[in-house]
Amino acid sequence: MYDPTVARLTYRALLGRRRALILGALPLLLIVISVIVRALAGADDQTASDLLGGIALATMVPIIGVIAGTGAIGPEIDDGSVVYLLSKPIKRPTIIFTKLIVAIAVTMVFSAVPTLISGFILNGNGQQIAVAYTVAALVASIAYAALFLLLGTVSRHAVVFGLVYALVWEALFGSLVEGARTLSVQQWSLAVAHEVTGGDLVTSDVGITTATVLLVAVTVLATCYAGQKLRSLTLAGEE
């Protein structure tokens, strides 16, 4: 289910100079903001939770997921180079699964690691806040990578749609509209963070059991459907 050659090509595409700069900009900004907030406000648990929840989990993680998930396959479909990959004796689910693993790894590195660093800067991991939000970023990375990889497979405007989802649905509706919160990856990952802290600093509108089931379901279904769409793309190309 994992092909090293496909993985190497995907890593090379995602970590090219321009994309690497974009991927690194938000984590660097988060760390800089954390340093400034710590210098001005000192170590405060509530401030740390608000900053990591409002910037890291609500904004940085989904945007990096958009870049990594759609970038893992979208550009190859757009420029037609995916035909050369599909002509190789590699099963379509293997291609999707390999690209998903790469997208997850890139999203985790560029979101979870800076979240942990920022958490320690803000309050030294008081009440397990840094670890909690890092775990939330890790589980969110998996779901986002799967969702946006699927989006990159089915649409030529995947980045636009992905950003609309990340910034409008997750950040806006997911925060303001009660019903939308249940269908938010952010809220699911916050449920995991709440379990880690065991306190009231991190809250979610979704229970841990529901959040776990939805995270797994979305990841599996998005990956399977992306594999099916890649098969359809191959058949269309052959016709």
Side-chain angles (χ1 to χ4, degrees):
M1 291 297 292
Y2 181 85
D3 187 275
T5 302
V6 174
R8 185 173 62 253
L9 293 173
T10 307
Y11 275 119
R12 187 180 301 172
L14 284 178
L15 300 178
R17 181 175 300 178
R18 184 163 56 181
R19 274 203 178 89
L21 289 174
I22 297 173
L23 285 169
L26 280 175
L28 181 59
L29 179 61
L30 174 65
I31 293 173
V32 170
I33 292 174
S34 300
V35 170
I36 294 173
V37 170
R38 175 60 187 267
L40 295 176
D44 181 77
D45 295 342
Q46 187 62 60
T47 300
S49 181
D50 292 342
L51 183 62
L52 293 179
I55 297 180
L57 200 60
T59 303
M60 182 184 71
V61 180
I63 289 179
I64 290 177
V66 169
I67 297 171
T70 61
I73 195 169
E76 295 178 56
I77 294 177
D78 291 342
D79 62 21
S81 61
V82 71
V83 173
Y84 297 99
L85 180 61
L86 297 178
S87 67
K88 304 298 181 183
I90 306 174
K91 293 181 179 179
R92 305 307 177 252
T94 298
I95 295 174
I96 289 296
F97 184 76
T98 302
K99 287 182 174 294
L100 175 63
I101 294 299
V102 173
I104 289 173
V106 171
T107 306
M108 284 182 171
V109 169
F110 283 93
S111 61
V113 173
T115 298
L116 181 64
I117 294 172
S118 296
F120 273 97
I121 291 172
L122 288 165
N123 75 332
N125 195 38
Q127 299 195 51
Q128 295 292 308
I129 289 176
V131 172
Y133 276 103
T134 300
V135 173
L138 289 172
V139 297
S141 295
I142 299 173
Y144 282 132
L147 280 173
F148 296 132
L149 179 65
L150 170 61
L151 199 55
T153 306
V154 302
S155 174
R156 291 182 177 273
H157 306 288
V159 174
V160 175
F161 291 138
L163 289 175
V164 169
Y165 173 84
L167 298 178
V168 177
W169 181 266
E170 289 278 359
L172 184 59
F173 286 100
S175 299
L176 302 177
V177 182
E178 185 175 351
R181 296 172 187 170
T182 307
L183 301 176
S184 167
V185 175
Q186 178 188 343
Q187 290 296 322
W188 305 342
S189 58
L190 281 172
V192 177
H194 174 72
E195 287 296 308
V196 175
T197 60
D200 297 328
L201 278 174
V202 183
T203 60
S204 173
D205 293 332
V206 183
I208 184 62
T209 302
T210 302
T212 302
V213 170
L214 289 173
L215 282 167
V216 173
V218 165
T219 302
V220 172
L221 291 175
T223 304
C224 292
Y225 190 58
Q228 292 297 322
K229 293 302 293 183
L230 198 61
R231 283 197 182 98
S232 300
L233 180 66
T234 305
L235 293 174
E238 291 172 350
E239 289 174 359

